């Protein structure tokens, strides 16, 4: 069998969108799971839509996601050039062959000697292919009109150029979005006209939002460009993991998968026929799992730029490290540290209902008052605060939950949370005491 060769063929018309990233990732996984080649070809024939820097940013974001490729415009390779505008002579040569064979014809622009070339669609023919995702698909040629292969400016259309390139680049499998299903019979016509082998096609389902509507680039409710996730402090391994699950699932019941795991489990027969739902909650969950596994140092590196951008003073590395270690468990992505920071320092103080219940269930007031007294005298570093709690315990002869809970609830409003002495030392004496005062007030009024 021929070596597997697949390609990702973006038009450099903008930033790397989630949908395109998925196409690239699935082709990459397909190649890597079968010891094949993965190449990148730039389809830039829609000249008006090309944007400056579009190609570079696509490649940059694919690299960030952890992809690598064997051939591309920036890397070269044996079947280049890898930009369509650099291959115009080849398209012209093959369009002329079809003209000579009588399978295409010229269509002159009115009052000009310029002409487009149209493919002459065979009458009454059925085009059948076995889609890797959807099974057998059939199309009737009578439903397809003679289509333009080369425009009157000499530039080929997508449907023509794609076949010439896929053939000469020895592409064996084509995984792409379902919007290309109806292009496939047109492309098959060209393969057949030249007597070339037809690659296998697989058309992936659309990606939908939670309302089951197709993701549109204008949809503001979902962040859709890879570069935006990067800016928000999502992790590339998590993004790759999440995107690989958009329309594919492994045979094992496991959702957190490294790139190597995914390559090992990748099986194109498990590509889904049903639309893939973009689940924002799941993305946050997956990212959080990867964030949790980061070392404290790596987590600080992730968070620091976000804190800085929000105008938070990060000049004291000990303070930054303490803050990060305090919030690490709860952070789903880098930029979220800022929200958590604000909630921690500036959030309003309220006692959760179950916590209030606890405070009222036993004599907690004396513990809270004693704790306040100790804190007032302390230097308020984490060790001092720990000592203060112990002293209260000794003096009042309380321990365990009856000691720790009142201290925690009176200063944080909650029964659970990160290490209390550390949290309080970051919060500062003034805020801690004022929260305790508020708690005492609540308890005394209610008493
Ligand atoms: N340039 C096309 C696109 O971006 C490629 C389609 C294909 O893979 O054949 O949709």
């Amino acid at each position: 069998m021929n070596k597997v060769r697949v390609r990702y063929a973006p038009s450099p018309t903008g930033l790397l969108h989630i949908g395109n990233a998925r196409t690239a990732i699935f082709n990459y996984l397909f190649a890597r799971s079968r010891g094949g080649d993965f190449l990148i070809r730039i389809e830039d024939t829609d000249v008006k839509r090309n944007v400056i820097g579009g190609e570079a940013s696509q490649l940059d974001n694919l690299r960030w996601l952890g992809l690598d490729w064997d051939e591309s415009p920036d890397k070269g390779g044996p079947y280049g050039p890898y930009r369509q505008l650099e291959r115009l002579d080849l398209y012209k040569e093959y369009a002329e062959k079809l003209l000579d064979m009588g399978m295409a014809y010229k269509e002159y622009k009115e009052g000009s000697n310029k002409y487009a070339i149209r493919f002459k669609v065979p009458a009454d023919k059925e085009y059948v292919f076995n889609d890797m995702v959807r099974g057998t698909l059939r199309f009737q040629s009578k439903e397809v009109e003679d289509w333009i292969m080369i425009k009157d400016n000499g530039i080929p259309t997508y449907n023509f150029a794609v076949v010439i390139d896929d053939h000469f680049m020895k592409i064996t499998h084509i995984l792409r979005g379902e919007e290309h299903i109806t292009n496939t019979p047109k492309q098959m016509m060209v393969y057949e006209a030249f007597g070339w082998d037809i690659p296998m096609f697989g058309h992936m389902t659309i990606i939908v939002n939670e309302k089951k509507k197709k993701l549109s680039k204008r949809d503001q409710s979902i962040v859709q460009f890879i570069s935006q996730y990067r800016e928000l402090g999502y992790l590339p391994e998590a993004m790759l993991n999440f995107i690989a699950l958009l329309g594919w699932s492994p045979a094992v019941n496991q959702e957190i998968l490294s790139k190597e795991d995914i390559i090992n489990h990748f099986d194109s027969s498990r590509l889904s026929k049903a639309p893939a739902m973009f689940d924002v909650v799941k993305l946050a969950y997956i990212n959080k799992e990867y964030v949790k596994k980061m070392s404290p140092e790596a987590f600080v590196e992730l968070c620091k730029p976000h804190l800085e951008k929000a105008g938070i003073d990060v000049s004291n590395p000990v303070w930054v490290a303490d803050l990060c270690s305090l919030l690490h468990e709860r952070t789903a992505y880098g930029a979220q540290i800022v929200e958590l920071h604000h909630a921690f320092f500036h959030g309003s103080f309220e006692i959760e209902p179950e916590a209030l219940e606890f405070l009222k269930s036993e004599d907690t007031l004396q513990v809270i008052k004693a704790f306040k007294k100790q804190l007032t005298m302390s230097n308020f570093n984490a060790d001092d605060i720990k000592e203060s709690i112990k002293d209260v315990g000794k003096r009042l002869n309380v321990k365990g939950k009856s000691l720790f809970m009142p201290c925690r609830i009176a200063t944080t409003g909650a029964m659970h949370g990160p290490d209390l002495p550390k949290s309080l030392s970051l919060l500062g004496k003034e805020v801690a005491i004022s929260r305790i005062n508020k708690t005492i007030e609540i308890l005394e009024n209610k008493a």
Side-chain angles (χ1 to χ4, degrees):
M1 227 180 86
N2 288 341
K3 184 173 192 189
V4 164
R5 284 177 57 82
V6 297
R7 81 307 190 269
Y8 168 58
S11 301
T13 53
L15 300 170
L16 183 63
H17 183 260
I18 282 282
N20 291 129
R22 180 181 67 156
T23 302
I25 288 172
F26 281 9
N27 278 287
Y28 168 82
L29 294 172
F30 189 80
R32 293 294 176 257
S33 65
R34 297 193 176 204
D37 293 333
F38 173 57
L39 59 103
I40 295 181
R41 178 176 72 228
I42 300 295
E43 304 209 323
D44 52 0
T45 58
D46 197 351
V47 182
K48 286 192 295 291
R49 295 185 58 223
N50 292 344
V51 298
I52 293 169
E55 175 186 318
S57 93
Q58 287 258 347
L59 298 190
D60 182 45
N61 283 297
L62 290 176
R63 240 177 252 120
W64 179 76
L65 284 168
L67 269 52
D68 57 86
W69 42 88
D70 306 293
E71 298 160 36
S72 65
D74 60 326
K75 226 179 146 170
Y79 304 98
Y82 293 90
R83 283 185 200 98
Q84 290 188 325
L85 284 181
E86 294 167 17
R87 302 169 64 82
L88 296 181
D89 289 347
L90 186 70
Y91 309 129
K92 194 165 162 238
E93 184 187 336
Y94 280 81
E96 273 163 15
K97 284 191 184 175
L98 288 179
L99 285 173
D100 290 344
M101 289 153 73
M103 303 186 87
Y105 58 89
K106 295 177 182 174
E107 183 180 70
Y108 281 90
K109 196 172 170 180
E110 240 183 59
S112 150
N113 57 0
K114 282 186 164 178
Y115 58 84
I117 302 177
R118 278 192 190 264
F119 189 88
K120 201 190 283 176
V121 173
D124 270 336
K125 226 186 125 162
E126 187 174 56
Y127 290 89
V128 186
F129 68 96
N130 188 14
D131 191 280
M132 291 194 275
V133 180
R134 292 147 201 272
T136 307
L137 296 176
R138 295 170 189 280
F139 296 87
Q140 307 305 323
S141 68
K142 57 176 180 287
E143 275 152 32
V144 184
E145 63 173 17
D146 291 353
W147 50 276
I148 294 180
M149 296 160 36
I150 308 272
K151 292 181 276 188
D152 60 22
N153 61 5
I155 295 184
T157 57
Y158 155 71
N159 276 315
F160 186 61
V162 76
V163 175
I164 304 299
D165 290 344
D166 286 336
H167 172 71
F168 285 106
M169 293 181 181
K170 297 196 161 43
I171 299 302
T172 57
H173 298 76
I174 295 176
L175 279 171
R176 60 187 176 196
E178 73 170 20
E179 67 275 15
H180 290 293
I181 290 183
T182 52
N183 287 323
T184 307
K186 292 181 184 169
Q187 296 172 16
M188 290 172 75
M189 292 171 194
V190 181
Y191 284 103
E192 286 188 357
F194 289 118
W196 293 340
D197 286 345
I198 301 180
M200 288 288 288
F201 294 101
H203 292 94
M204 295 175 291
T205 57
I206 53 166
I207 303 176
V208 295
N209 64 19
E210 268 130 87
K211 295 192 187 106
K212 305 253 186 304
K213 271 186 59 189
K214 186 176 176 187
L215 265 204
S216 116
K217 289 189 183 159
R218 286 174 296 275
D219 189 341
Q220 300 282 317
S221 69
I222 292 181
V223 176
Q224 297 194 32
F225 295 100
I226 299 299
S227 52
Q228 293 174 301
Y229 283 102
R230 206 170 154 176
E231 280 157 21
L232 284 168
Y234 281 79
L235 303 179
E237 302 81 6
M239 293 302 296
L240 183 84
N241 187 158
F242 173 74
I243 297 171
L245 299 176
L246 284 176
W248 172 79
S249 59
V252 290
N253 184 15
Q254 192 186 330
E255 281 200 315
I256 304 298
L257 299 149
S258 68
K259 182 165 85 178
E260 286 66 36
D261 291 336
I262 302 171
I263 291 173
N264 289 336
H265 290 298
F266 195 75
D267 173 358
S268 56
S269 71
R270 297 185 59 86
L271 286 169
S272 161
K273 291 184 182 56
M277 198 196 37
F278 193 102
D279 182 344
V280 189
V281 177
K282 181 166 165 183
L283 171 57
Y285 159 76
I286 291 181
N287 206 69
K288 199 172 185 177
E289 289 299 305
Y290 282 84
V291 168
K292 273 190 206 156
K293 283 188 240 160
M294 294 177 99
S295 68
E297 296 74 25
F299 183 67
V300 167
E301 286 310 305
L302 175 72
C303 295
K304 223 168 122 184
H306 298 283
L307 293 168
E308 228 170 343
K309 213 168 118 198
I312 296 162
D313 180 6
V314 291
S315 58
N316 179 351
V318 178
W319 182 86
V320 177
D322 282 347
L323 176 81
C324 289
S325 102
L326 187 72
L327 302 176
H328 194 155
E329 280 283 309
R330 286 187 282 162
T331 309
Y333 56 94
Q336 204 189 24
I337 191 94
V338 175
E339 266 169 53
L340 295 171
H341 165 280
H342 290 342
F344 181 71
F345 287 102
H346 312 300
S348 63
F349 175 70
E350 266 155 47
I351 302 176
E352 291 173 356
E354 57 157 0
L356 193 58
E357 221 32 55
F358 180 91
L359 289 187
K360 289 198 268 181
S361 70
E362 48 186 271
D363 186 14
T364 53
L365 200 52
Q366 57 151 351
V367 176
I368 294 171
K369 284 182 173 167
F371 185 41
K372 177 181 161 186
K373 199 165 161 205
Q374 290 293 329
L375 286 184
T376 317
M377 298 183 308
S378 89
N379 284 327
F380 224 75
N381 60 45
D383 287 339
D384 287 341
I385 296 168
K386 209 168 167 180
E387 278 310 308
S388 301
I389 300 175
K390 274 195 198 156
D391 287 346
V392 172
K394 271 188 220 141
R395 283 208 293 139
L396 301 180
N397 196 25
V398 284
K399 48 181 187 258
K401 228 174 157 184
S402 301
L403 171 64
F404 294 112
M405 273 306 171
C407 296
R408 176 178 288 283
I409 298 170
T411 48
T412 68
M415 295 178 75
H416 309 282
D419 183 72
L420 188 66
K422 216 178 197 174
S423 311
L424 295 186
S425 71
L426 280 168
L427 194 62
K429 197 168 185 169
E430 208 180 309
V431 181
I433 300 287
S434 84
R435 289 180 173 187
I436 295 179
N437 287 337
K438 193 168 171 199
T439 307
I440 293 174
E441 224 174 84
I442 292 171
L443 288 177
E444 287 181 337
N445 283 345
K446 294 269 159 71

